[in-house]
Every structure is written in structure tokens, then in C-alpha cells.
Amino acid sequence: MQGLMQDWPLLIHRVIDYAATQHGNREVVSRSVEGPIHRTNYKAIHQRSKNVAQRLKQDGIVLGDRIATLAWNTWRHLEAWYGITGVGAIYHTINPRLFADQIVWIVNHAQDRIMLTDLTFVPLLESMADRLSSIERYVILTDGAHMPPTKLKNAIAYEDWIANCNGQFAWEQFDEKTAAGLCYTSGTTGNPKGVLYSHRSNVLHSMSLAHADALGIRNSSVVLPVVPLFHANSWSLAFSCPMMGAKMVMPGAKLDGASLHELMESEGVTMAAGVPTVWLGLLAFLQKEKKQLSTTKYMLVGGSACPRALIETFEKDYGLTVVHAWGMTEMSPIGSLGAVKDHLTSLDSEGLIDLKAKQGYAPFGVEMKITNDAGEPLPWDGKTFGRLKVAGFAVTKGYFGLDDAILDEEGFFDTGDVSTIDANGYMQITDRSKDVIKSGGEWISSIELENLAIGHPDVAEAAVIGIAHSKWSERPLLIVVPKEGRTINPAQILSFMEGKIAKWWMPDDVQTIAEIPHTATGKINKLKLREIFANYKLPTDA
Ligand code: AMP
């Protein structure tokens, strides 16, 4: 027997309909790419997203067409997403930090028809436009007054593009499993792969994460998504915030510590989300300028491992609750978050920081397991590492345009991460499976060594890679960036680490570097580091 409840498809435009109806006056504030602070609200965003939909329809865009966005977090980017999905087209976010050839490959693979972009990226697109054959028109996210002279095909300022639309547009209706968003993983080997979100997966994902123990968003929240819309769905914030009617503060192109601090203070930001590199930048600014965060209470850190010292400093010196989250593009993206379960709140302060340094537990909608190479399940004892596999309503089951079967026989997706899970359900990433250091047949976690090294007062950033060793197969090399005005004494760093990890995990050497290379999504670029240290030989290797 079936239930007698209504069919109410989980479509993305229902989110902005809701926000406009219930929270219409709630603000969306952006640092515009042109410079000034721009203020709007959900009612206006709703209206203008309808204009976008109307215009797309006039331009002949139909269900399933891909519309590229190469843009910062601003109100225009946000309303474009809702407009695009409202006609059943697919927003395809592109990370501007990718190499030009990767962007070209991705746009051609996706066969994007229209490109929406910011002023910042006009020169970049001009340099590759002759290779972007599927793009019929470039819409520059600005107004006529700021429109630069450009030869980009059919280029038009966004405000002019939607100027003649009156928003008298009824959203298209379609199945909730219809594709809504496309995001390519940066892919360290081979070509990038497209992850195709559906309306249903995005709505469920955002709904399941907006609550207090996850993103911590309420109507009274003022949320700063430093995480870009082009980084895996902006960790759901573009949907979760309107769902709750939270005020959004969009940082535009300025993501340095001083600019973020200014925005956080002037707009009364209560919650902010971003990758560790961004928060290291903010922290350096706060410490140098002796500033505080007067309204921010909650910080979400994810995208790569958050150093324990960063959590500790923001919690103890700045009074924040720091939540460490893990996920991936293929998971929409959030797979776990580190809120403290009730029975663990009595841990002492060190124990609590240790717990928060883990990547947290899975929210409703994500199932996890760890297995050995044969696919057999491993125990949740907090010690045994294995391949981390996941299943859920917002986890991918395939890649765009590829037929490969990617799930195991139980329907789980192999994340490519290696982790432990403890008896309380807290998962801890020990490595990417290809970064783990294999020493004498045992595994050493590069992430754990990095986290430890960064706690040393002279170290600004740390990375560990495996270096070939004639006896042990691989041994860890610690690479560090000194803090401004400090010099690195390798022996001191090693003695600081001693006793905190197993003896055989101790790095065989410490090397100093001016800057650690990062990938387009802010992760330590270990491929590049391996290239830099390709001819390096460990002093321990006879
Ligand atoms: P992306 O799809 O670009 O977001 O990359 C996903 C990958 O980033 C994951 O598979 C992890 O290897 C890594 N990652 C994301 N969040 C974390 C985290 N909190 N700690 C460690 N690694 C992370």
C-alpha cells in the first residue's frame, strides 16, 4: 500500500521560492567584483533569477543544456544558478584556478552553450575562446557601465542581457532526478571527471546539512561562504542558507585575511566556511594586526586536512567553535562533520581538540565503511586504516559521459581516501591512498605528520611526501615553510615531534621551502612537490 502524501518534487527553484516568500527581506551582501559592497535580498534574487530563466528560454536553452559559470561568489552568480536550474538547464561551475588546457577540455567535454563569467576572467577566456567551440555567447556578470571592450563571441553585460525580462515566468516542471549541476573533479591523474548533481540530491543534501550539528545555520545566522560556488556546490551553502533564511555575505574576488576580516566585522558574520589555507591567511592577519573576531562564532573547515593547531588557536584565542568537515565533489560534497556527540562533551580540552581534529561523523544520508584491498570490512577501532567507501542520496553513481561502473557490489563508492573510524563513528583521514607512505610494508600517514609539524611555532605550513628508500621502500620527508621572520632548525622540529608519534614514523629529514604549491581547490599539491624533490636523496639512505 502506498502512502497518501502529495508528490512534491524536490526541485531547486522551490528553495528560492520559499526564501522569497518567508524570508524575502533577508539580505544577501556581496563584495562586488567592480569594488563596492552590493546589497540585495532573497525577494530580489528570486525575481532576478526568474529574469535569467526567461532570458535563457528566449535564447533557446532547453532541459539538459549546460551553462558554464566561471565566477566568484556574488549575488549575480547565485541568482544565475537558480535561473539556470529553473529552466531545467545545468549550471556547470568551472574553477578558474585550473590550467587553461584543463578549462578548455572541461568546457568542450561538457559542451557548454553559454558562459557566464566575471570581469576578472575576460582576459583568460579571450586567450582560449577560439578553442571553446560550443560556447554561443559570453555573458559578463556586470552592468553596461563596467562592460569592457571584448571580442568574446556575442558578449553582453549580464544586466543588459536580463534587462528586458519582466520575471513573468513559470518555472519549468520536471522530475526531481533531473540533472541540475555539473562540477569536474580536478583529477590528479587522467582527464577531469564530471560529477552531475540532480535537483533531488542537492535539495536533500542541503536540507540534511543545514541543522545545528552540521552547518549550524539558523534564520539568525549571517553566513560567509568563502568556499567558492565553483568548489563542489559551495558545500551546499547556496541552498542551505536560503532554506533557513540566513543572511549571506559573499566575498567576491577578495579572499585574503584583511578583506575577509573587514567583511566579517562590518556585516556581523556569525558563521564562515572555507579551506584551511584561507583560515591560515586570516589567522596570520589577526595575529599580526592584533585583531579579534567580534561576531563570528562558528567556522567550518574542510577541503583538506585542518591542522589541529588551527582548530586549537581559533577555539582558544578567538572563542570560535571550529567544525572540521570532510567530503568530495562526488559527495555533493559533505561526507562527515566534527560536531561533538553528547556523550563526548565531558572530554577534557585536549581530548576535545583531538576529537575535532578528526574529520567527524557521517550525517544522515551518508553511509561509510572501511575495507582492505580485498574489499573486506575493517573494524571501527580508531586504529585500523582502510579504504574509505561511501553510499548515500547525494553520492555519485557514475561520471558524466563515462560508462564505467564505479560502485562496489554493495553500491559503495571508493573515495580514494584512507581512513580510520573509531568506536564513536568518528572518521579520520590518514591519507589519499596514493599519498600514504609505505615504509617496510607498513603505512605512515602523511597528514598526521603534517598536522603535528604545523604545531611548531616556527612553522607556517608543512607537507610530507614519501621518498624512495633502498631499504624501507619509502621514508617520509617533511617539507616546511617558515613563519614570517623565523628560521627553521630541523633538529628542533624533529625533537618537537618526538614522542608524539611512533618512532618509525619520524621524518628522515626536514627541508625548508619558500612556498608549498597548492592545487586549484586549495590542497597541498603533492604531485608538484614530488617533482620538486625528484632528485632529492634522503640522508638515511646509504
Ligand atoms: P574535492 O573533490 O576537490 O573536494 O577533493 C576531495 C578530496 O579532498 C577528498 O577525497 C580528500 O582527499 C580531501 N579532503 C577533503 N576534505 C578533507 C579533510 N577535511 N581532511 C582531509 N582531506 C580532505
Side-chain angles (χ1 to χ4, degrees), residues 231 303-305 324-329 359 415 417 429 432 521 523:
H231 186 181
S304 56
H324 188 189
W326 163 88
M328 57 196 315
T329 309
Q359 277 77 3
T415 62
D417 286 326
I429 299 281
R432 283 300 286 167
T521 47
K523 300 181 211 316

Side-chain angles (χ1 to χ4, degrees), residues 95 183-187 195 197 231-232 235 276 301-306 324-331 333 336 357-360 388 413 415-418 427-435 447 451 519-523:
N95 186 337
C183 183
Y184 283 72
T185 59
S186 30
V195 178
Y197 309 113
H231 186 181
W235 303 354
V301 190
S304 56
C306 180
H324 188 189
W326 163 88
M328 57 196 315
T329 309
E330 285 90 335
M331 301 184 72
S336 66
K358 296 189 173 196
Q359 277 77 3
L388 175 61
F413 169 76
T415 62
D417 286 326
V418 176
M427 185 275 287
Q428 184 160 26
I429 299 281
T430 51
D431 248 314
R432 283 300 286 167
S433 51
K434 57 190 179 320
D435 293 338
I447 293 184
N451 280 346
T519 67
T521 47
K523 300 181 211 316

Side-chain angles (χ1 to χ4, degrees), residues 438-441 467-475:
K438 290 157 190 120
S439 173
I467 298 282
H469 191 285
S470 47
K471 178 165 179 204
W472 300 108
S473 150
E474 268 184 352
R475 291 293 303 157

